[in-house]
Amino acid sequence: MDNVQIIFENDEILVINKPCGLAVQGGQNISHSLDKDFSAALGYKIYLVHRLDKDTAGLMVVAKNPKAAGKWTNLISTKAVKKEYIAICAGSLPQKKGIIKDDLVQHGQTKSAVTNYTVEKEWTYENAETGTKINLCKIRLLLETGRMHQIRIHLSKNNCPIAGDDQHGNFKVNKLLKKELKIKHLLLASVKLTIPLGTEEKVFEIPLPSAMDF
């Protein structure tokens, strides 16, 4: 798979850069997935130890064998692994830096969820001809917990949904963004990953996808 970039490799894991639009796991109505297609390209089976949404781009870890998969699944569930994201959002947050601690209900259970955020940039898109005016911002996020769709739900509940989020976002604003700025996908990327390797921490960082470069 030429569209999956290998950033790092050792005997246990691969750190990869997953493109937007590629599902990590196969299933109903999914013809291409990372676990199936990337395994075929490598010539051996890879094991998922965490997930990125189909439309979330960026850094993730996959394991090369079952023993490594068990080890890294446990590591990623702890604070030993740090995951940082960038989101382009429609709206604004009341503070430039803070912590969102809204609980999430998943599979009928209420679970704690903690997201640290820093607003890195704010601007307004305006089109005088159409009268369109949209407040936008670029936010860096550091997860303390890894709940499903955590970032997307937290930002949406705080009136700052991610641009292009067709599930938790603002449908009306997304329609305008698609028309005015050609935004067709979720603008969320995993851009920085810190993992323990031996006695040291290794930091991996990638530039934003071109679609998010505002």
Side-chain angles (χ1 to χ4, degrees):
M1 295 184 73
D2 295 337
N3 59 343
V4 176
Q5 180 186 8
I6 296 174
I7 306 295
F8 170 82
E9 178 178 4
N10 66 11
D11 292 339
E12 294 184 338
I13 61 169
L14 295 160
V15 176
I16 62 171
N17 183 2
K18 184 190 83 70
C20 171
L22 177 64
V24 298
Q25 192 167 28
Q28 189 174 7
N29 299 322
I30 297 176
S31 56
H32 295 283
S33 63
L34 180 73
D35 61 347
K36 180 181 176 182
D37 294 8
F38 194 44
S39 293
L42 291 170
Y44 58 85
K45 180 176 174 60
I46 56 119
Y47 298 81
L48 300 174
V49 297
H50 67 126
R51 305 287 193 273
L52 288 180
D53 294 340
K54 178 181 177 181
D55 288 330
T56 300
L59 295 170
M60 65 179 293
V61 176
V62 296
K64 299 172 78 171
N65 57 67
K67 183 178 179 181
K71 171 185 173 180
W72 283 90
T73 298
N74 290 332
L75 279 172
I76 284 173
S77 68
T78 71
K79 292 184 179 180
V81 173
K82 301 179 183 70
K83 294 178 281 187
E84 292 185 37
Y85 296 74
I86 294 289
I88 305 296
C89 299
S92 61
L93 291 168
Q95 297 177 316
K96 305 297 185 195
K97 189 173 184 178
I99 304 174
I100 301 172
K101 295 183 177 181
D102 297 327
D103 291 347
L104 303 181
V105 177
Q106 295 183 340
H107 307 298
Q109 294 183 320
T110 299
K111 297 184 177 182
S112 64
V114 182
T115 305
N116 297 273
Y117 74 86
T118 302
V119 179
E120 294 191 341
K121 181 181 177 182
E122 294 179 295
W123 70 101
T124 301
Y125 168 80
E126 293 186 72
N127 186 328
E129 292 183 4
T130 62
T132 301
K133 185 177 180 180
I134 306 171
N135 292 324
L136 297 165
C137 59
K138 176 184 176 183
I139 304 175
R140 181 173 289 270
L141 304 118
L142 173 64
L143 296 184
E144 286 192 27
T145 55
R147 309 303 181 196
M148 184 184 295
H149 292 190
Q150 177 176 318
I151 292 173
R152 297 165 68 176
I153 296 171
H154 270 177
L155 290 174
S156 182
K157 288 177 71 173
N158 285 272
N159 300 311
C160 194
I162 301 175
D165 189 342
D166 60 3
Q167 187 171 347
H168 304 287
N170 184 311
F171 175 78
K172 185 178 179 180
V173 172
N174 283 340
K175 191 174 180 180
L176 281 174
L177 290 171
K178 186 174 182 179
K179 180 181 178 182
E180 300 276 348
L181 294 172
K182 311 304 179 189
I183 293 173
K184 300 177 182 179
H185 303 289
L186 180 75
L187 296 191
L188 176 65
S190 169
V191 296
K192 189 174 180 181
L193 189 64
T194 304
I195 63 174
L197 287 174
T199 58
E200 300 180 348
E201 283 191 333
K202 182 76 172 177
V203 180
F204 302 96
E205 194 163 7
I206 58 170
L208 275 179
S210 58
M212 294 179 62
D213 189 13
F214 285 87

